């Protein structure tokens, strides 16, 4: 997890195109300035970052389903529930599945667990558009390699 | 069995918290009911689910942006309902 770059996902553990599901893991850093303020003497992972981790997980799934031809962007978060604290150094397991694939948008369900214990979940809506420029596509290709995205799922020009 | 318009109006009322009796076949979803594009995604989701179709929102938006269609053709509810009926019929014909 590279919080400074807003890169929350470390590794894709499983990506099932047929079932439209994904599982990833993300290691919460032991030390980060975020924890100095959130909260002094009682560091916990901010809920908004847990939501972002579910959005990024869902994003990888949608990228796969759209064969890297379109880029999903976060549009709405519903029913986000923070069910337990996440502490520095904990390993997140994040699962997502597709709830609906519409025209230009998609909805997913996602959840974060630590050691098998559910920490949060949400229903997330994305709008998606063709990659707006080659730079972003190249960046996402590089990111995909970093997180172990199955390369056969990436369509190349 | 309720009409397509009735089903759409109920979806809009429940999704956007708009009084059902203010929604008529002549209502324009955007101009009259004040539904924005993000809220319309929720409506599209509910319509897709209820009718087993996929509203071609991107195509419609592109046609409007290109000046090939007006928003009234797609977002006045009687017209939207007619489009839904066409999509349902096309789906049935293709099955």
């Amino acid at each position: 997890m590279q919080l400074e770059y807003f890169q929350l996902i470390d590794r894709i553990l499983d990506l099932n195109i047929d079932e439209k599901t994904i599982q990833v893991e993300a290691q919460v850093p032991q030390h980060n300035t975020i924890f100095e303020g959130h909260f002094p003497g009682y560091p916990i992972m901010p809920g908004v970052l847990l939501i972002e981790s579910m959005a990024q997980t869902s994003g990888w799934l949608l990228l796969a389903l759209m064969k890297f031809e379109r880029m999903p962007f976060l549009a709405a978060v519903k029913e986000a529930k923070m069910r337990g604290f996440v502490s520095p150094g904990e390993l997140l397991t994040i699962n997502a599945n597709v709830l609906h694939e519409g025209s230009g948008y998609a909805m997913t369900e996602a959840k974060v667990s630590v050691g098998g214990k559910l920490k949060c979940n949400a229903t997330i809506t994305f709008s998606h558009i063709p990659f707006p420029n080659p730079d972003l596509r190249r960046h996402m290709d590089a990111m995909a390699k970093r997180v172990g995205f199955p390369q056969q799922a990436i369509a190349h020009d | 069995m309720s009409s397509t318009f009735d089903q759409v109006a109920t979806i809009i009322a429940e999704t956007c918290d708009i009084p059902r009796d203010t929604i008529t076949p002549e209502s324009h979803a955007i101009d009259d009911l004040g539904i924005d594009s993000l809220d319309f995604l929720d409506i599209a989701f509910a319509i897709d689910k209820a009718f087993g179709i996929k509203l071609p929102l991107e195509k419609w938006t592109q046609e409007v942006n290109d000046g090939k269609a007006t928003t009234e053709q797609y977002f006045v509810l009687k017209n939207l309902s007619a489009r839904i009926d066409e999509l349902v019929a096309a789906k049935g014909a293709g099955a």
Side-chain angles (χ1 to χ4, degrees), chain A residues 92-157:
Chain A
L92 310 182
T93 302
I94 311 165
N95 289 274
N97 63 274
V98 171
L99 184 62
H100 182 65
E101 291 174 280
S103 168
Y105 73 100
M107 294 177 175
T108 68
E109 296 171 319
K111 62 182 180 182
V112 177
S113 303
V114 175
K117 188 171 174 55
L118 181 64
K119 295 293 185 177
C120 65
N121 63 290
T123 300
I124 308 173
T125 301
F126 297 82
S127 59
H128 53 72
I129 59 173
F131 269 91
N133 61 56
D135 286 347
L136 180 57
R137 169 65 194 263
R138 277 194 292 273
H139 172 75
M140 294 310 295
D141 274 353
M143 287 283 294
K145 289 188 177 73
R146 188 182 70 77
V147 298
F149 192 95
Q151 293 300 300
Q152 65 272 23
I154 304 176
H156 286 281
D157 298 328

Side-chain angles (χ1 to χ4, degrees), chain B residues 10-60:
Chain B
T10 300
I11 285 170
I12 290 173
E14 292 176 351
T15 304
C16 297
D17 201 20
I18 295 171
R20 171 64 182 83
D21 57 7
T22 65
I23 304 171
T24 74
E26 306 300 327
S27 299
H28 190 301
I30 302 164
D31 296 343
D32 297 329
L33 302 178
I35 298 167
D36 66 21
S37 58
L38 187 53
D39 286 334
F40 202 83
L41 291 187
D42 286 331
I43 293 168
F45 170 61
I47 288 174
D48 285 358
K49 285 284 189 190
F51 293 94
I53 58 173
K54 187 169 172 176
L55 283 184
L57 292 182
E58 280 196 296
K59 177 171 170 280
W60 291 355

